[in-house]
Amino acid sequence: MPWLSYRKALNRALGDELARDPAVFVLGEDVRVAVSNVTAGLLGRFGPERVVDTPLSEQAFTGFATGAALAGMRPVVEFQIPALLFLAFEQIVNQAHKFSLMTGGQTAVPVTYLVPGSGSRAGWAGQHSDHPYGLFAHAGVKTVVPATPEDAYGLVVSAIRDDDPVVVFAPAGALDVRADVDFATLAPVALGAGRVHRQGSDVTVVAIGHLVHDALAVADELAGEASVEVFDPRTVYPFDWDGLADSVRRTGRLVVVDDANRTCGVAAEVLATAAERFDLTAPPARVTRPDGAVVPFAPALDRAVQPDRDQLATAIRKVLQD
């Protein structure tokens, strides 16, 4: 079977949906020259009317995408840097997200917001290294964070076909991940459906985005000490609580690893819901960025504020001892 990189999976999903549905088009800064490599080759295949370069104004082209969606199109908006979503937050959360609800379902706003390279990219510093998926989950916007190439493909396809706005965070730490994939098996992945990457019986680790790969590595390292189950929610809103409940029912213990700030993060929500709904045999734990973290430029400090494998292994051992 051929190898498929995460980045190429995003590109393939966009190309397949552009070919399938003439209402789909891609817009953003420098998408024609494919500055992120995610839109590579699309201009030559589909032309300038469907691969649209925009001015450097996130509020403008995000609002434009909302109007296009209301008119029956299915725009895909690429954001080069995750922090640019802060500029367009009002357009997404207060406008696109609410139109369908405030009109009693008379309108649909099928916009996909794609962030290829969310999180730290080794020295991109404070204004380029955020992972703000928790903000959109809090607001009730459909929000996905794929970990693998096949899930990146399937979730982007589902996002484009969905009649609601969907934000797709493609973590920088996952962009170069490659998988041995039969292209014929690539298919949409349902929003709101989690995935167990590794079964276990002692502790469930919920890992978000690229941290799935760290969790699997730690599970291998601890194989002589504990049987670790790795659960990937794939969609942080809506979250697959039933899938996680099944996992925790098998293990009785829970650790969450999340590359976002600690306070009000997705990890906090998972632990709170677990406390309300699950029968845990030990207090749960979370491994995250620190409170209010701003990623520094210096590489050593950059790494210091991100959750790592040693921290995850320590948290797993702690819940096993409780």
Side-chain angles (χ1 to χ4, degrees):
M1 292 188 291
W3 287 94
L4 178 67
S5 74
Y6 189 112
R7 198 186 309 263
K8 186 62 178 177
L10 297 175
N11 176 264
R12 190 179 185 92
L14 292 177
D16 286 355
E17 289 305 291
L18 283 161
R20 187 190 69 86
D21 185 350
V24 176
F25 71 101
V26 179
L27 70 153
E29 297 161 357
D30 300 321
V31 293
R32 289 181 181 173
V33 297
V35 69
S36 67
N37 291 318
V38 169
T39 54
L42 299 183
L43 175 63
R45 291 176 61 189
F46 301 104
E49 292 186 354
R50 301 186 66 197
V51 182
V52 182
D53 273 347
T54 64
L56 299 178
S57 176
E58 281 69 31
Q59 294 99 327
F61 64 71
T62 305
F64 170 81
T66 301
L70 288 167
M73 303 298 288
R74 290 186 176 271
V76 179
V77 185
E78 182 190 295
F79 289 88
Q80 292 182 14
I81 298 165
L84 296 176
L85 288 166
F86 300 150
L87 298 174
F89 193 74
E90 195 277 339
Q91 293 287 346
I92 298 171
V93 171
N94 204 38
Q95 304 298 332
H97 170 55
K98 294 180 179 178
F99 271 131
S100 176
L101 298 170
M102 294 177 68
T103 61
Q106 295 180 70
T107 61
V109 190
V111 186
T112 300
Y113 311 96
L114 176 61
V115 191
S118 187
S120 173
R121 287 178 278 186
W124 283 54
Q127 293 183 335
H128 297 73
S129 303
D130 294 291
H131 251 337
Y133 42 77
L135 294 178
F136 293 91
H138 170 78
V141 180
K142 294 177 180 178
T143 306
V144 303
V145 192
T148 66
E150 60 271 28
D151 284 344
Y153 176 92
L155 287 166
V156 168
V157 167
S158 292
I160 294 171
R161 297 181 186 182
D162 200 279
D163 283 337
D164 293 321
V166 182
V167 189
V168 180
F169 288 89
L175 288 179
D176 294 325
V177 169
R178 295 166 63 86
D180 199 9
V181 175
D182 180 355
F183 290 171
T185 66
L186 292 173
V189 172
L191 304 183
R195 174 182 178 184
V196 174
H197 287 265
R198 176 190 177 111
Q199 292 190 330
S201 57
D202 293 329
V203 58
T204 295
V205 173
V206 176
I208 298 173
H210 64 290
L211 293 174
V212 166
H213 306 286
D214 288 332
L216 290 169
V218 171
D220 286 339
E221 293 171 9
L222 299 181
E225 303 176 45
S227 175
V228 178
E229 180 150 311
V230 177
F231 180 84
D232 173 9
R234 300 194 287 194
T235 304
V236 295
Y237 189 87
F239 196 97
D240 185 3
W241 296 116
D242 290 338
L244 180 57
D246 288 341
S247 178
V248 174
R249 194 175 296 116
R250 291 190 291 271
T251 65
R253 294 176 172 85
L254 176 65
V255 175
V256 187
V257 58
D258 173 20
D259 185 24
N261 292 1
R262 190 173 184 85
T263 296
C264 298
V266 173
E269 183 62 30
V270 173
L271 264 60
T273 301
E276 292 174 341
R277 294 182 51 180
F278 303 158
D279 184 15
L280 297 172
T281 58
R286 54 181 159 153
V287 181
T288 67
R289 294 185 183 186
D291 276 335
V294 176
V295 176
F297 169 75
L301 295 176
D302 177 316
R303 291 190 294 273
V305 300
Q306 297 178 62
D308 61 26
R309 295 180 183 182
D310 288 342
Q311 293 171 340
L312 177 57
T314 298
I316 292 171
R317 289 189 175 105
K318 183 180 185 300
V319 300
L320 290 171
Q321 291 169 1
D322 287 338

